[in-house]
Amino acid sequence: MSRPPTYKGGISAVLAIYEARRDPLPAAEGALLPPADIDLVPLTQAVVPDPTDGPHAPPFLNNGQRKIFQLRQELQGSSELTVLHGLVVSHLRKRSFPDHAPQLFQRLWAEQGVHLLQHLDARWMVSAVTTFGDHGLTPVQRATGLAMSTLFGMMKLYESERLYSGRAPDQPFALANKTRAKLPLQMDAYSLTSGGLDANLIARLWQEAEGDAVIRPLAHHLLDLLIHDPGGVFRRLSVMSARKTRRDKAEAVTAQSAPVAARPVRSADRLRWGLVSTIKAPLSQIARFAAHHIDLGAEALHIHLDEPDAEAEAFLSRHPRIHVTQCDHAYWEHAGRARMSAHQLRQAFNATRCLRATADSLDWLGHIDVDEFIIAQRPVKDVLFHADPQAAIAKMPPAEALAPVTGDPTHFKLSHAQAGVKKALLQEIYPTFGLHLYGGFLSHTGGKVFARPGIPDTRLGIHTLKYKGEDVTNKTRAEGLFLAHFHAPSWEHFRSHLDFRRDHGSYRRPADRSEMGQAELFDFLMQEEGDAGLRAFFEEVCADTPALRDRLARHDMLLTHDFDFDATTRRVFGDLP
């Protein structure tokens, strides 16, 4: 796929920009270089006076005069040797320069390197090491100078861009802010805890400079300044690495293995499982959700109606395995809680209450949503009966529905992690948008869980179980179960739910993150292309097309399952009202 270059005109334009800044300094009084054999010692003792009162003051006849004025103004109060050094460097950056300029530059650092290190600021030292890269006399000078010039040049670019993040150079980013996007040129991201790129860069430059006595003091001094600077990427990464190490150790200490009580079930047939769900949907959708899971063998469905609906309660409660709770004012008053504004908090609260209430009636309780349907490649009872007896939860991986032109979805995509596929291959499956979506999913990739009721000090959340406030570590996979997620089963469904999901649901922008995610991607598409851009996104990522199915199947990321909701609903409930 052809991509537009960053610079219009490509490399030719880059070279033109580079050459335009290299016109030689014109001859001007004060801008001419002294002879190569000038005695440098007196210049170390002479102090630069105020240039605004003397022969170098404006007006200027040419850029040469302007340059010497700027140098003397910047270096006022320093030694005349620093002005000479600045003038030599300025000449050597141009396309042509006095023949003896390289020799004079070498003399300055060979004979007066100590003085220059004491009187030049870091910016001028970077200019000096860059000059060694262009005009070094030895291979070590040229290699060290070029490498350090590239390092400091890139630092200036990304540190300048970073200022627009609103953070100062000494403020590391939060660990939670990391996005999953690939680095340019498909490079792997630096590892905070095991990465060695920073040390490799610094150590290699340090060792390289040791091979030349002239550049060694300058290079070592700059590298020493770099590793002691309180700002910059090296210090920030060091701070972040220390934080992550402490966090990982703390998590290892606080990681909780929830105590699973010995509750022997003699056979799969005797195992009892159920579901809890907090639902805001029409009765027809609730009924097919309930019918599907009753048909799979659920012992109990605990349905919490997030908005009270007397008709739905009356209809659903006719089935002996369905227990309906109206989440009305009386419910929240009895619970001793004000109704939480975020629906995710209400879901977790209801699920936790149900987990505790079913300690004696169920062996496993799953927590899923009304648009999620278990696909059982083996009987659910059999899967849960053979789960690790020490596991507190059994995870069901998600399978996100592909949207057909008409009817209910029958094809579902898996994430790259589920299929054991490298993340880089996502761009082959989703060429335009693959790198902006983890696993190619619009919604969650963590799946949902079955939890064992009756474990004290536990709370059942959206995607996991917490024991004493920490995610449980004794978990297993519910082998043979997938969670079919009808997240965007049609274009109309996707578009009509987009605004809510951007503001309150799975597409919302976290307050502490600034990198591009779904919210930013959808904002960009809507601003640039409107619904046409959103539709192009939907067609590539969500639509059930032969091309997408073929790409998914080639990587074992396609799951097929036929649902017959109408027949199942009639079998369980009869006719709907």
Side-chain angles (χ1 to χ4, degrees):
M1 182 176 64
S2 177
R3 298 179 180 178
T6 301
Y7 302 92
K8 188 176 181 180
I11 190 62
S12 297
V14 174
L15 293 172
I17 295 170
Y18 172 69
E19 290 297 337
R21 303 171 67 91
R22 299 183 66 228
D23 291 338
L25 287 177
E29 184 177 352
L32 298 175
L33 293 182
D37 60 355
I38 182 177
D39 186 359
L40 300 178
V41 174
L43 297 180
T44 66
Q45 301 166 350
V47 177
V48 180
D50 182 358
T52 59
D53 184 19
H56 304 293
F60 309 120
L61 298 178
N62 55 42
N63 285 337
Q65 290 184 351
R66 179 178 289 103
K67 185 65 179 178
I68 192 62
F69 175 81
Q70 292 170 345
L71 283 172
R72 299 187 72 84
Q73 186 177 47
E74 179 182 345
L75 296 169
Q76 180 182 342
S78 186
S79 71
E80 288 286 352
L81 190 77
T82 61
V83 174
L84 175 58
H85 175 268
L87 188 58
V88 172
V89 168
S90 299
H91 276 290
L92 290 175
R93 284 189 168 183
K94 303 304 182 180
R95 190 179 303 109
S96 62
F97 40 80
D99 292 342
H100 65 292
Q103 181 183 355
L104 195 53
F105 177 75
Q106 287 288 328
R107 278 195 63 208
L108 285 166
W109 282 102
E111 299 174 20
Q112 297 296 332
V114 173
H115 178 88
L116 291 174
L117 289 178
Q118 291 174 344
H119 291 81
L120 292 177
D121 62 20
R123 185 176 65 86
W124 273 111
M125 293 181 199
V126 171
S127 295
V129 86
T130 299
T131 305
F132 272 109
D134 294 330
H135 301 285
L137 292 183
T138 68
V140 172
Q141 288 183 7
R142 292 191 294 274
T144 302
L146 182 59
M148 295 190 69
S149 173
T150 303
L151 171 65
F152 292 124
M154 288 305 301
M155 282 182 60
K156 183 173 182 177
L157 286 176
Y158 67 68
E159 293 288 352
S160 297
E161 181 197 32
R162 191 181 183 277
L163 294 177
Y164 290 91
S165 71
R167 290 176 176 263
D170 62 348
Q171 289 182 293
F173 286 116
L175 295 177
N177 286 359
K178 183 182 179 182
T179 185
R180 300 184 180 97
K182 198 74 174 176
L183 299 184
L185 302 182
Q186 299 297 300
M187 290 187 290
D188 292 327
Y190 171 82
S191 171
L192 286 178
T193 54
S194 61
L197 178 60
D198 54 340
N200 291 345
L201 281 171
I202 295 170
R204 185 171 180 181
L205 288 170
W206 186 280
Q207 292 178 347
E208 180 73 19
E210 288 180 338
D212 185 272
V214 176
I215 199 174
R216 180 178 62 239
L218 171 62
H220 283 186
H221 184 74
L222 279 170
L223 292 172
D224 191 64
L225 287 177
L226 181 62
I227 64 176
H228 285 87
D229 196 299
V233 67
F234 294 100
R235 177 62 64 88
R236 294 195 301 268
L237 286 175
S238 178
V239 172
M240 293 168 68
S241 176
R243 288 178 180 174
K244 191 172 191 307
T245 299
R246 289 195 301 269
R247 190 187 72 177
D248 290 348
K249 287 181 179 179
E251 288 178 351
V253 171
T254 60
Q256 299 288 353
S257 177
V260 177
R263 192 192 308 178
V265 179
R266 288 192 293 271
S267 68
D269 289 340
R270 296 194 175 192
L271 185 138
R272 301 160 301 171
W273 66 273
L275 298 174
V276 58
S277 186
T278 299
I279 297 175
K280 177 183 176 181
L283 175 58
S284 59
Q285 292 183 24
I286 305 175
R288 74 175 194 171
F289 167 84
H292 173 77
H293 293 105
I294 291 289
D295 200 50
L296 284 182
E299 181 76 20
L301 297 184
H302 294 271
I303 294 175
H304 294 72
L305 297 177
D306 202 33
E307 285 192 353
D309 186 333
E311 180 186 10
E313 180 184 17
F315 179 83
L316 295 168
S317 296
R318 294 187 307 179
H319 197 287
R321 297 187 188 180
I322 299 179
H323 309 276
V324 179
T325 299
Q326 299 271 21
C327 295
D328 51 18
H329 177 73
Y331 169 77
W332 291 109
E333 187 174 62
H334 182 265
R337 288 289 303 269
R339 184 180 187 270
M340 293 81 87
S341 59
H343 67 278
Q344 297 93 340
L345 296 178
R346 300 195 298 273
Q347 289 173 316
F349 180 82
N350 292 336
T352 297
R353 293 192 83 204
C354 186
L355 184 73
R356 294 168 182 169
T358 56
D360 297 324
S361 58
L362 294 177
D363 299 297
W364 290 93
L365 177 69
H367 182 200
I368 65 176
D369 293 333
V370 72
D371 61 349
E372 296 172 330
F373 300 85
I374 296 174
I375 295 177
Q377 297 174 331
R378 293 160 41 210
V380 178
K381 286 188 174 187
D382 186 60
V383 172
L384 297 175
F385 177 75
H386 289 96
D388 181 353
Q390 298 302 316
I393 59 174
K395 295 183 72 69
M396 292 180 289
E400 197 169 86
L402 300 183
V405 176
T406 59
D408 290 317
T410 58
H411 298 107
F412 304 83
K413 58 186 173 186
L414 306 179
S415 71
H416 68 285
Q418 294 174 42
V421 172
K422 291 183 178 180
K423 188 165 58 174
L425 293 177
L426 286 175
Q427 200 164 7
E428 295 181 9
I429 301 172
Y430 313 101
T432 306
F433 301 103
L435 295 182
H436 299 293
L437 300 170
Y438 185 76
F441 274 42
L442 277 180
S443 187
H444 64 82
T445 58
K448 298 293 180 70
V449 301
F450 277 102
R452 294 186 190 270
I455 303 175
D457 298 318
T458 53
R459 290 187 292 114
L460 184 53
I462 306 296
H463 299 286
T464 192
L465 181 73
K466 289 185 179 293
Y467 174 63
K468 295 184 177 180
E470 301 293 337
D471 291 355
V472 299
T473 55
N474 50 330
K475 53 192 175 184
T476 189
R477 175 168 173 165
E479 298 292 345
L481 302 185
F482 289 91
L483 193 68
H485 191 184
F486 287 40
H487 179 76
S490 68
W491 159 251
E492 291 75 18
H493 184 282
F494 167 75
R495 189 64 186 88
S496 64
H497 287 70
L498 181 61
D499 291 340
F500 176 83
R501 286 171 172 169
R502 289 170 64 207
D503 293 336
H504 306 288
S506 55
Y507 306 158
R508 67 191 185 281
R509 181 189 293 107
D512 60 344
R513 294 178 64 177
S514 58
E515 73 277 359
M516 174 172 273
Q518 290 173 341
E520 291 79 10
L521 176 61
F522 292 142
D523 286 348
F524 173 80
L525 291 174
M526 294 177 72
Q527 291 170 8
E528 296 295 320
E529 303 177 40
D531 272 14
L534 293 174
R535 190 62 188 253
F537 169 88
F538 183 86
E539 290 298 319
E540 178 180 303
V541 175
C542 307
D544 188 349
T545 63
L548 178 54
R549 291 200 305 271
D550 179 65
R551 295 195 297 271
L552 290 167
R554 287 202 302 268
H555 297 290
D556 295 324
M557 293 169 63
L558 182 68
L559 180 67
T560 299
H561 184 82
D562 290 320
F563 290 92
D564 191 347
F565 292 117
D566 291 341
T568 304
T569 303
R570 285 194 299 270
R571 186 163 58 248
V572 173
F573 291 114
D575 293 331
L576 292 179

